[in-house]
Amino acid sequence: LYVNGTFSLSHTIQLVLSHNKLTVVPPNTAELKNLEVLNFLNSQIEELPTQIGSLQKLKHMNLGMNGLNTLPEGFAFYPALDLLDLMYNLNENSLPGNFIYLTTFRAPYVSDNDFKILQPDIRKLTKLQIPSFRDNNLILQPRETGEFTQLKELNIQGNCLTLLLPELGNLYLTGQKKVCKVENSPWVTPIAGQFQLDVSCVSECVCSETYEYSMAAHAGNPEPPKHNNHKSEKMSWKHLTDSNK
C-alpha cells in the first residue's frame, strides 16, 4: 500500500493500516519520525524492516495476527515503547536477544502464540504492568515473574502449566484493582481445588509449606503436559478471514 504524500507527513503521530492485505511494511515508514502509534493488525506481514527501529517516539505498536516468525535485532531500540501486540505470530526463539532492554515496556501482548518457556532475563522488564501470555503452550512459570512488583494484571490462562511457583504469592494480585487470570491449565490437584474456592485462596495456597512439599514431589515425578491443540484452529480461522477480505 502506497499513498502519495503519506510518508512525507513528518508530523504524523498515528499510522493505522490494520485489516489490509499488506505483505510488507513500507521501509519509508521510518521517515515518520514523530510516529507514536503504528498499527498493522491482521495483515500478511512476514518480516519487519530494520529501519522501523529508528522510530524513537513510538509508544504503541500492533503487529498482531500477521505471519511473523522473527523480529529484527533493531526492534528492541524503542525508548518510549509502552504497548506491543504480537498475538498470533511467534515462539520464544523469535525474540531478539536485546528485547529485554525495552525499559519502558508496560504491556506486551503475546497471546495465542507458541511460547513454551519464558526466559529468566524477562525480569529485566521491570516496568511490566499488564503482560498477557494467554493461550500459549507455557509449561513453566519462571520464578522471575515474582519480581514484577508493578503488576496490575497477569494473564497466563490457557497454557500447559501444572504448577504455580510460590513467587506468584508475592505479587498480591488479588486486590480490588488487580486481576490474575490463570484458569484453563492442567493444574495439580492442590491448585485445582483452590480455584474452585477463590483466586485469593490460590495465592495463599502456593505460599504454604504444604504446597512446597507437594511441588517438590511433583517436580521429581512430573507428568508431561499436553500441548494445546486449539492454536491451529484459530490460525486456520485467521487465514480464512484473510482470504475472505
Side-chain angles (χ1 to χ4, degrees):
L1 176 65
Y2 291 92
V3 180
N4 289 336
T6 297
F7 297 100
S8 63
L9 299 176
S10 60
H11 297 293
T12 300
I13 62 172
Q14 293 192 39
L15 179 61
V16 179
L17 296 173
S18 56
H19 306 290
N20 283 290
K21 292 188 177 182
L22 290 177
T23 57
V24 296
V25 175
N28 48 351
T29 303
E31 297 173 11
L32 302 176
K33 299 299 183 182
N34 290 298
L35 203 63
E36 297 181 3
V37 177
L38 181 60
N39 190 336
F40 289 110
L41 173 69
N42 194 17
S43 296
Q44 299 173 9
I45 297 168
E46 296 184 358
E47 186 176 1
L48 297 177
T50 56
Q51 293 93 327
I52 67 169
S54 63
L55 297 173
Q56 298 294 288
K57 295 185 179 181
L58 201 62
K59 296 179 180 178
H60 294 177
M61 183 187 299
N62 193 334
L63 297 167
M65 298 181 72
N66 278 281
L68 296 170
N69 290 313
T70 60
L71 299 176
E73 285 291 330
F75 187 84
F77 298 114
Y78 295 107
L81 192 62
D82 176 64
L83 185 152
L84 175 63
D85 192 329
L86 290 168
M87 65 178 183
Y88 285 109
N89 280 288
L90 309 167
N91 59 51
E92 64 268 14
N93 297 318
S94 306
L95 302 179
N98 53 10
F99 186 79
I100 47 89
Y101 295 110
L102 289 167
T103 56
T104 59
F105 217 9
R106 181 183 60 89
Y109 299 150
V110 291
S111 301
D112 298 287
N113 283 297
D114 292 312
F115 286 81
K116 296 182 178 65
I117 60 172
L118 298 176
Q119 298 296 337
D121 277 349
I122 194 174
R123 68 178 180 274
K124 295 180 180 178
L125 300 175
T126 57
K127 300 289 180 67
L128 289 189
Q129 294 183 14
I130 317 173
S132 180
F133 304 106
R134 170 183 55 79
D135 291 322
N136 277 272
N137 283 313
L138 290 176
I139 59 175
L140 181 66
Q141 169 214 349
R143 292 186 180 275
E144 288 74 17
T145 55
E147 300 180 25
F148 297 149
T149 57
Q150 297 188 40
L151 275 190
K152 295 181 179 179
E153 184 172 322
L154 180 63
N155 297 281
I156 54 174
Q157 69 270 37
N159 279 283
C160 300
L161 297 165
T162 57
L163 293 168
L164 283 174
L165 298 179
E167 284 77 5
L168 185 67
N170 299 331
L171 299 178
Y172 303 105
L173 286 171
T174 56
Q176 184 176 2
K177 296 182 179 180
K178 295 189 177 184
V179 177
C180 182
K181 297 180 179 179
V182 291
E183 62 271 15
N184 298 329
S185 282
W187 303 112
V188 295
T189 302
I191 294 179
Q194 295 301 318
F195 271 128
Q196 295 178 4
L197 300 176
D198 189 78
V199 173
S200 61
C201 296
V202 177
S203 181
E204 295 175 6
C205 172
V206 298
C207 292
S208 68
E209 289 187 11
T210 303
Y211 178 74
E212 287 190 26
Y213 289 124
S214 298
M215 187 176 71
H218 182 83
N221 187 27
E223 295 182 5
K226 295 180 180 179
H227 293 289
N228 294 330
N229 295 319
H230 64 282
K231 192 72 52 59
S232 59
E233 295 175 5
K234 290 185 177 180
M235 290 302 291
S236 298
W237 174 84
K238 179 183 85 72
H239 291 309
L240 179 63
T241 57
D242 283 346
S243 63
N244 287 336
K245 291 174 186 175

